[in-house]
Amino acid sequence: MDFFISDTHFGHKNIIRFCERPYRTVSEMNEGMISNWNKTVTDADRVFVVGDVFIMDPVEASHIIKRLNGYKILIAGNHDRSQKTMLDCGFDEYHRKYEYEIDGIGTGLLLHYPMPDILIESMGYKFLVHGHIHDKPHRYGLKINVAADLLNFTPMSKNSLRSILSMKTFNSKSSTETFEASVKDGILKTRMEIRMEDFSGAVDHIYSVMRNHWSEKKK
């Protein structure tokens, strides 16, 4: 079985206060999330961690990551370290984004940041699994937020993800969204009218457009 979670923030003392997590200490939070994970996930399972795993010393973090059951796949977030560091900490794979197929739903994208639905659709995806935002809603339009704070600090199964995506009633995507980004003759042209929560994903996409432009110029 596949599972999904993001924004565990192991070792992050201030996240307890910032997000009103139900823990008194960092140690209690770390051990609580480890226990929830290992009660849910077996070593025969895969877990996709959609960014922001820990904010602590990597050596200390490695002791936590290596205690977690399953084959662990990281989709890196803004607080995560280099590929080498995260693999050394106990992850089996490291990605910036990851295409994921769900039978009956189609192909989606796993990315740390939420992005506008109009962009998700233009890229040919049926859904986006993300983190970064620790608050509700759990689903908005084509987006599913798997931040630990919304999942009772327990990885969510693929079956649960499929059920949510199959629901007909949810927060509808905005009908007024606009998003464009292109580069021509060294000039970046952008236009957007999007939800504020989706801004980080929009900017991440703009950087990818710029990187593609520079790569083409070097050929």
Side-chain angles (χ1 to χ4, degrees), residues 34-200:
I34 292 169
S35 176
N36 289 351
W37 181 305
N38 287 340
K39 287 177 182 177
T40 305
V41 177
T42 74
D43 280 334
D45 300 320
R46 297 192 302 178
V47 184
F48 292 87
V49 183
V50 195
D52 287 6
V53 183
F54 61 80
I55 298 182
M56 62 192 303
D57 180 79
V59 174
E60 294 180 14
S62 69
H63 298 311
I64 292 175
I65 305 304
K66 291 173 182 177
R67 288 174 60 191
L68 299 173
N69 291 344
Y71 184 89
K72 297 175 281 288
I73 301 171
L74 174 65
I75 293 82
N78 52 298
H79 286 299
D80 296 317
R81 308 294 183 94
S82 68
Q83 178 173 349
K84 181 181 184 305
T85 297
M86 300 309 286
L87 294 177
D88 287 345
C89 281
F91 279 94
D92 298 289
E93 296 183 28
Y94 177 104
H95 305 271
R96 286 292 177 182
K97 56 185 177 181
Y98 191 100
E99 290 189 347
Y100 190 85
E101 182 80 21
I102 297 181
D103 293 343
I105 303 294
T107 302
L109 182 67
L110 275 57
L111 182 73
H112 180 62
Y113 306 105
M115 61 171 57
D117 281 9
I118 192 172
L119 179 54
I120 298 169
E121 289 178 320
S122 72
M123 297 168 70
Y125 297 115
K126 298 296 185 182
F127 61 91
L128 174 73
V129 175
H130 71 89
H132 193 58
I133 306 296
H134 294 234
D135 299 322
K136 295 178 180 178
H138 184 35
R139 173 175 182 173
Y140 192 96
L142 302 178
K143 295 177 283 289
I144 304 293
N145 185 353
V146 294
D149 304 84
L150 303 182
L151 304 181
N152 197 27
F153 308 98
T154 305
M156 181 176 70
S157 73
K158 181 178 181 178
N159 287 341
S160 295
L161 179 62
R162 182 190 290 110
S163 295
I164 294 170
L165 287 168
S166 298
M167 290 172 59
K168 300 301 181 183
T169 303
F170 55 87
N171 294 284
S172 298
K173 63 184 180 180
S174 172
S175 60
T176 62
E177 278 189 345
T178 300
F179 182 84
E180 297 177 10
S182 61
V183 177
K184 184 177 180 181
D185 299 327
I187 302 298
L188 172 66
K189 180 180 179 181
T190 65
R191 186 166 68 95
M192 68 177 77
E193 182 178 341
I194 61 175
R195 297 171 69 239
M196 290 178 62
E197 292 84 351
D198 296 337
F199 181 73
S200 295

